[in-house]
Amino acid sequence: MAGITDPRPPLPEWILECYDRLCTQACQPEIGEDSVPLIDYDDAVTMLSSDAELALEQRDVEHALTRLLERGYFYEVEDELRVTSPEEQC
């Protein structure tokens, strides 16, 4: 994620809104000691694409997910998006 010393500009508000919605869905960890909040990549695409309030096209959704992954909001393991720091973000 972009920190205080990060020279990159902040993410656009619409991408952060996508993150908030995904985090809401991902913040339901499976039962287990090492469970990390996660959401399946395809489920994330479907959820964001079908959200009438966001009104995003498929390529916009994929762009948002790519930017969130690049900035470290999520990391990907076997087609699952896992929240990087759930205690700070959810």
Side-chain angles (χ1 to χ4, degrees), residues 7-81:
R8 300 176 292 187
L11 290 174
E13 192 62 37
W14 71 272
I15 292 179
L16 295 175
E17 181 66 27
C18 291
Y19 172 73
D20 289 341
R21 297 196 186 201
L22 292 174
C23 191
T24 299
Q25 295 299 313
C27 290
Q28 301 169 11
E30 308 235 348
I31 297 172
E33 293 177 20
D34 297 327
S35 62
V36 174
L38 58 88
I39 186 167
D40 183 76
Y41 184 89
D42 291 334
D43 291 343
V45 170
T46 300
M47 188 191 90
L48 293 174
S49 296
S50 64
D51 189 312
E53 192 174 319
L54 290 174
L56 299 174
E57 295 181 16
Q58 176 88 17
R59 66 180 181 204
D60 294 328
V61 168
E62 292 170 356
H63 175 73
L65 292 174
T66 298
R67 296 293 306 275
L68 290 167
L69 284 163
E70 289 173 347
R71 290 289 183 98
Y73 284 77
F74 292 109
Y75 63 99
E76 190 171 12
V77 177
E78 298 178 4
D79 295 325
E80 292 177 337
L81 301 175

